[in-house]
């Protein structure tokens, strides 16, 4: 972990992380891993929300303020949600991987609702919620909804989600502010596809300590968030969210640039996999 985070610390970059399903297989428990992460330099990660009982470790949110000195500097113009998707099922009758539990979904829904109320009801009042991005490790069953005709990137292995559907995708849709969700877990999938208005994206296989595919470069997904600027030169809220993948090849190539979300596009429902 120290080696993985070292470049960010050396460059004095703020960083955040969620844990995956293998992190407890070394010398630390899952709790121990998260406690170590939140004690490292420049981290913005948190162990868990204070004062509530919640499953897992590393459930927290980050608020990105508007430009200092503008009317938006006391508002969160971009909301980042981080959740622990667990490791393996703890229910004897259910096999396979873990999932985002009810307690985590309640926390997410309450946090989202509170942030939206502040953004839209406090001056200067905004007409639509600030965009939300969600990060967790194990993909949801809905990642299986796509075919090559309606995603950007590649699918080179099966979707290793939990064997049950915990309903977290429905929770994100109902929340109304989530524009994209990002996962890892399946190392040689790197696609993004849109379902019910939410972009479901793989982060791309990154590390050399785990399986990959010969001839297929390791890669990392990059997100770029652009703010709106008025004709008078004042910075406002988020205008668009873009993404691409950076490859660890000899050219450090970028591929699959796309716009994940544009302001004003919330009302236009994304096409479902069946084309509807």
């Amino acid at each position: 972990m120290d080696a993985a985070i070292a470049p960010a610390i050396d460059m004095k970059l703020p960083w955040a992380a969620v844990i995956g399903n293998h992190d407890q297989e070394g010398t630390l428990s899952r709790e121990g891993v998260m406690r170590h992460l939140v004690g490292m330099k420049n981290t913005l990660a948190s162990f868990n929300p204070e004062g509530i009982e919640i499953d897992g470790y590393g459930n927290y949110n980050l608020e990105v303020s508007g430009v200092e000195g503008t009317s938006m500097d006391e508002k969160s113009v971009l909301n980042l949600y981080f959740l622990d998707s667990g490791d393996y099922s703890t229910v004897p009758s259910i096999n396979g991987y873990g999932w985002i539990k009810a307690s985590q979904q309640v926390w997410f829904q309450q946090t989202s609702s509170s942030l939206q109320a502040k953004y839209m009801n406090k001056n200067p009042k905004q007409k639509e919620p600030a965009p939300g991005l969600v990060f967790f490790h194990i993909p949801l069953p809905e990642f299986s909804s796509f075919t090559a005709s309606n995603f950007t990137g590649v699918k080179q292995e099966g979707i290793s989600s939990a064997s049950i559907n915990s309903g977290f995708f429905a929770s994100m849709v109902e929340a109304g502010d989530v524009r994209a969700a990002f996962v890892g877990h399946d190392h040689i999938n790197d696609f993004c596809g849109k379902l019910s208005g939410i972009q479901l994206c793989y982060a791309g296989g990154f590390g050399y300590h785990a399986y990959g595919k010969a001839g297929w470069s390791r890669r990392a997904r990059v997100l770029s968030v652009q703010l709106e600027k008025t004709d008078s030169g004042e910075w406002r809220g988020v205008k668009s969210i873009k993404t691409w993948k950076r490859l660890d090849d000899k050219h450090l190539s970028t591929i699959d640039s796309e716009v994940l979300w544009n302001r004003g596009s919330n009302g236009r429902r994304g096409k479902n996999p069946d084309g509807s």
Side-chain angles (χ1 to χ4, degrees), residues 109-275:
Q109 289 166 323
Q110 291 175 343
T111 303
S112 169
S113 178
S114 172
L115 288 167
Q116 289 184 56
K118 282 187 207 172
Y119 193 70
M120 298 172 72
N121 298 334
K122 288 191 176 182
N123 289 326
K125 296 178 180 180
Q126 304 300 303
K127 293 180 181 177
E128 59 185 62
L133 305 177
V134 186
F135 300 85
F136 50 95
H137 182 70
I138 298 175
L140 304 174
E142 284 80 5
F143 274 74
S144 298
S145 302
F146 307 106
T147 64
S149 65
N150 57 14
F151 65 60
T152 301
V154 296
K155 177 185 175 187
Q156 302 179 118
E157 62 179 309
I159 310 298
S160 298
S161 56
S163 59
I164 62 161
N165 192 324
S166 69
F168 186 57
F169 181 74
S171 292
M172 292 194 295
V173 174
E174 288 169 4
D177 65 332
V178 176
R179 306 299 166 221
F182 304 91
V183 303
H185 199 50
D186 300 324
H187 302 193
I188 56 175
N189 291 340
D190 73 354
F191 66 80
C192 275
K194 191 174 184 181
L195 182 66
S196 298
I198 297 177
Q199 297 275 1
L200 299 179
C201 298
Y202 276 99
F206 181 69
Y208 284 90
H209 61 295
Y211 76 86
K213 182 178 179 182
W216 193 70
S217 299
R218 294 299 204 274
R219 61 204 56 214
R221 182 172 294 284
V222 181
L223 300 176
S224 175
V225 179
Q226 291 76 37
L227 295 179
E228 180 184 358
K229 197 172 190 180
T230 65
D231 292 339
S232 61
E234 184 181 7
W235 292 104
R236 293 286 178 85
V238 173
K239 178 178 70 174
S240 63
I241 301 171
K242 300 175 182 177
T243 187
W244 60 87
K245 285 162 289 193
R246 174 77 68 174
L247 307 189
D248 189 15
D249 59 13
K250 63 182 179 180
H251 302 296
L252 295 177
S253 308
T254 59
I255 63 168
D256 293 344
S257 293
E258 60 180 314
V259 176
L260 293 179
W261 177 79
N262 271 321
R263 174 178 292 285
S265 62
N266 327 15
R268 294 200 300 273
R269 187 185 179 94
K271 281 192 175 181
N272 286 316
D274 62 2

Side-chain angles (χ1 to χ4, degrees), residues 23-158:
D23 293 320
Q24 71 288 345
E25 294 171 8
T27 55
L28 293 175
S29 64
R30 294 177 67 74
E31 178 181 352
V33 168
M34 202 64 216
R35 289 198 183 280
H36 183 78
L37 284 169
V38 301
M40 294 173 72
K41 284 184 181 178
N42 302 338
T43 187
L44 298 178
S46 297
F47 183 73
N48 264 338
E50 290 186 8
I52 65 169
E53 284 193 25
I54 192 168
D55 287 278
Y57 308 100
N59 302 287
Y60 59 100
N61 68 292
L62 295 174
E63 300 175 29
V64 182
S65 298
V67 175
E68 192 173 356
T70 70
S71 62
M72 304 295 284
D73 65 357
E74 293 187 10
K75 283 185 176 288
S76 177
V77 300
L78 178 70
N79 294 308
L80 310 178
Y81 304 96
F82 301 83
L83 297 104
D84 178 7
S85 53
D87 50 1
Y88 302 95
S89 170
T90 55
V91 180
S93 59
I94 301 172
N95 295 322
Y97 292 111
W99 56 87
I100 294 170
K101 304 289 179 59
S103 63
Q104 297 166 281
Q105 296 190 47
V106 168
W107 165 78
F108 162 75
Q109 289 166 323
Q110 291 175 343
T111 303
S112 169
S113 178
S114 172
L115 288 167
Q116 289 184 56
K118 282 187 207 172
Y119 193 70
M120 298 172 72
N121 298 334
K122 288 191 176 182
N123 289 326
K125 296 178 180 180
Q126 304 300 303
K127 293 180 181 177
E128 59 185 62
L133 305 177
V134 186
F135 300 85
F136 50 95
H137 182 70
I138 298 175
L140 304 174
E142 284 80 5
F143 274 74
S144 298
S145 302
F146 307 106
T147 64
S149 65
N150 57 14
F151 65 60
T152 301
V154 296
K155 177 185 175 187
Q156 302 179 118
E157 62 179 309

